[in-house]
Amino acid sequence: MTPLLSVHCLSKTFHDGTLPVVNGLSFEVAEGELFALLGPSGCGKTTALRLIAGFMRPDRGSITVDGRVLADERTFVPPEKRGIGFVFQDYALFPHLTVAQNVAFGLKRGKRSERDARVDEVLKLVGLEGLEARFPHALSGGQQQRVALARALAPRPRLLLLDEPFSNLDALFRNEMRERVRAILKAEGVTAVLVTHDQEEALLFADRLAVMQSGRLDQIGTPEEIYLTPRTLFVAQFLGQTNLVLTQAHGLEADSVFGPLQLHRKAEGPVLVSIRPEHFAIARTPEHTDAMEATVLSRAFRGHDITYRVQVGPVDCLVHTHNREPFAPGDTVYVRAVEPAVVLDKAGA
Ligand code: ATP
């Protein structure tokens, strides 16, 4: 099956910079898929999104939507001819237009009655019926965001681009809106690319995601693949807390300060591995022969789990547990890895 969006070797350098902000980016998004570009501030993700939208020209590479080349070395289709919807971080609503007029803005073609019907339809979809005559200043942040989404969806775009659309909402409401927007896009079968610096958001929202660093993609995969089997040190650290351990590998096993470890793939010689804190078990007694004696350094109760920092030999590590048995700093405990350690690529490999 051909992908709906295909980005190939996309690069962009700004005139006042020497390094490319987007550097050889390649990825594909299938029809109906929700895809996220995840990376720290300044890694080039908004620039990548703006290149896809056609707000700027790439220096190199190509962008194809539904088999139609939108940009390559010979072609540049302007944004209004791309059939792509865009939801901006600040929503960019027209302050002098009502909700209904904002949503109708992109619907220039067709009969008036059909346009009105489509405005009603998308406002209902995003749960804003009854607010048609309001102006943006009289709406909450979440309502404004839904108007922006309705406006982008109204012309039935082949592809929807969302630039940090939830970052202006408070934490509790953000979760609700993410779920709501995700459900709307899935119900409509919309193909979308979301840009975010928020790991949890990317994991919750996307069917697949790409982790971006300094203009390049480090890894593309499902949320589970990216979180559970990070390929690089950067991905391992960016996707949440992890323990990094230098080991001596021989095939699917390695010697480490934690004793022998199982590895998720074969390796030889010195390798850095990542073990998520929840992939360690902690107990008061040495229930397993491979458990290592450790000393509790600190304890952080976080409601749904507890994070212990423990010292194992010369290193300390983080262990998450749902276990209600409370350990206190100074206690002797026994830890062991209960999942294979993830072998990270050597830097530059
Ligand atoms: P954020 O999450 O902070 O928005 P980002 O990953 O989306 O970051 P971009 O907005 O794509 O990053 O910016 C990447 C780099 O390119 C930054 O260093 C930024 O200063 C620079 N940049 C962006 N737009 C321009 C421009 N029009 N001219 C010059 N430099 C730019």
Side-chain angles (χ1 to χ4, degrees):
M1 196 186 73
T2 51
L4 185 93
L5 168 67
S6 189
V7 171
H8 186 63
C9 290
L10 200 64
S11 292
K12 178 77 185 173
T13 304
F14 290 110
H15 294 305
D16 51 354
T18 45
L19 292 174
V21 164
V22 171
N23 194 355
L25 220 60
S26 296
F27 62 90
E28 292 181 339
V29 182
E31 174 129 40
E33 188 174 35
L34 302 183
F35 190 84
L37 276 178
L38 170 69
S41 180
C43 73
K45 50 198 189 301
T46 295
T47 303
L49 211 63
R50 295 176 75 82
L51 287 167
I52 298 169
F55 299 151
M56 58 178 83
R57 283 171 189 264
D59 300 333
R60 264 186 302 282
S62 64
I63 298 162
T64 308
V65 171
D66 217 3
R68 177 178 169 227
V69 176
L70 300 181
D72 65 8
E73 65 275 12
R74 286 184 300 275
T75 320
F76 183 78
V77 177
E80 66 279 9
K81 300 241 164 72
R82 291 193 176 197
I84 293 177
F86 204 101
V87 178
F88 295 88
Q89 184 171 3
D90 60 0
Y91 316 140
L93 299 178
F94 303 114
H96 59 291
L97 299 183
T98 64
V99 166
Q101 288 165 339
N102 262 285
V103 175
F105 184 79
L107 298 173
K108 301 213 172 58
R109 273 176 270 157
K111 285 195 212 129
R112 175 80 194 259
S113 59
E114 285 169 7
R115 280 186 277 153
D116 289 349
R118 180 62 182 158
V119 171
D120 287 350
E121 190 180 23
V122 285
L123 283 178
K124 200 164 161 210
L125 186 70
V126 300
L128 284 181
E129 56 281 55
L131 296 181
E132 293 82 352
R134 287 257 188 104
F135 285 92
H137 73 265
L139 297 173
S140 71
Q143 288 168 333
Q144 289 181 30
Q145 193 224 33
R146 280 183 279 158
V147 177
L149 181 66
R151 185 178 63 182
L153 288 175
R156 297 190 169 88
R158 297 291 288 134
L159 176 67
L160 184 67
L161 306 177
L162 304 132
D163 187 4
E164 304 261 11
F166 308 107
S167 60
N168 288 336
L169 305 174
D170 66 57
L172 261 186
F173 195 51
R174 198 181 306 158
N175 280 341
E176 188 189 321
M177 284 308 293
R178 264 184 218 141
E179 280 174 30
R180 206 162 165 163
V181 170
R182 186 176 207 285
I184 291 168
L185 298 182
K186 281 290 174 194
E188 288 285 282
V190 175
T191 310
V193 179
L194 168 88
V195 152
T196 180
H197 64 274
D198 181 330
Q199 305 83 312
E200 191 180 86
E201 181 161 298
L203 293 175
L204 283 170
F205 190 86
D207 298 319
R208 276 187 321 132
L209 59 124
V211 185
M212 198 168 168
Q213 166 183 211
S214 308
R216 293 177 181 275
L217 293 188
D218 257 34
Q219 189 171 359
I220 303 180
T222 63
E224 287 82 357
E225 283 164 355
I226 300 270
Y227 181 80
L228 295 173
T229 51
R231 209 170 56 76
T232 64
L233 175 62
F234 174 76
V235 176
Q237 290 185 310
F238 194 67
L239 265 288
Q241 290 181 307
T242 198
N243 295 292
L244 299 167
V245 188
L246 196 57
T247 66
Q248 196 64 31
H250 37 90
L252 280 173
E253 287 195 354
D255 299 321
S256 78
V257 67
F258 297 100
L261 286 174
Q262 301 292 317
L263 301 181
H264 90 294
R265 66 172 162 87
K266 284 187 180 166
E268 293 300 332
V271 288
L272 189 65
V273 302
S274 159
I275 308 174
R276 296 270 179 221
E278 64 273 26
H279 294 158
F280 277 117
I282 181 168
R284 195 172 287 285
T285 52
E287 287 152 11
H288 292 81
T289 50
D290 53 353
M292 293 292 290
E293 188 176 305
T295 307
V296 175
L297 298 174
S298 65
R299 169 184 189 268
F301 177 68
R302 304 193 307 166
H304 46 74
D305 61 19
I306 304 172
T307 302
Y308 291 100
R309 183 173 285 280
V310 302
Q311 176 134 19
V312 187
V315 300
D316 57 312
C317 75
L318 294 175
V319 181
H320 289 175
T321 178
H322 301 280
N323 193 339
R324 285 297 180 86
E325 185 177 9
F327 305 114
D331 281 1
T332 296
V333 289
Y334 293 85
V335 296
R336 72 189 172 93
V338 289
E339 296 278 340
V342 176
V343 178
L344 301 177
D345 283 358
K346 292 200 167 66

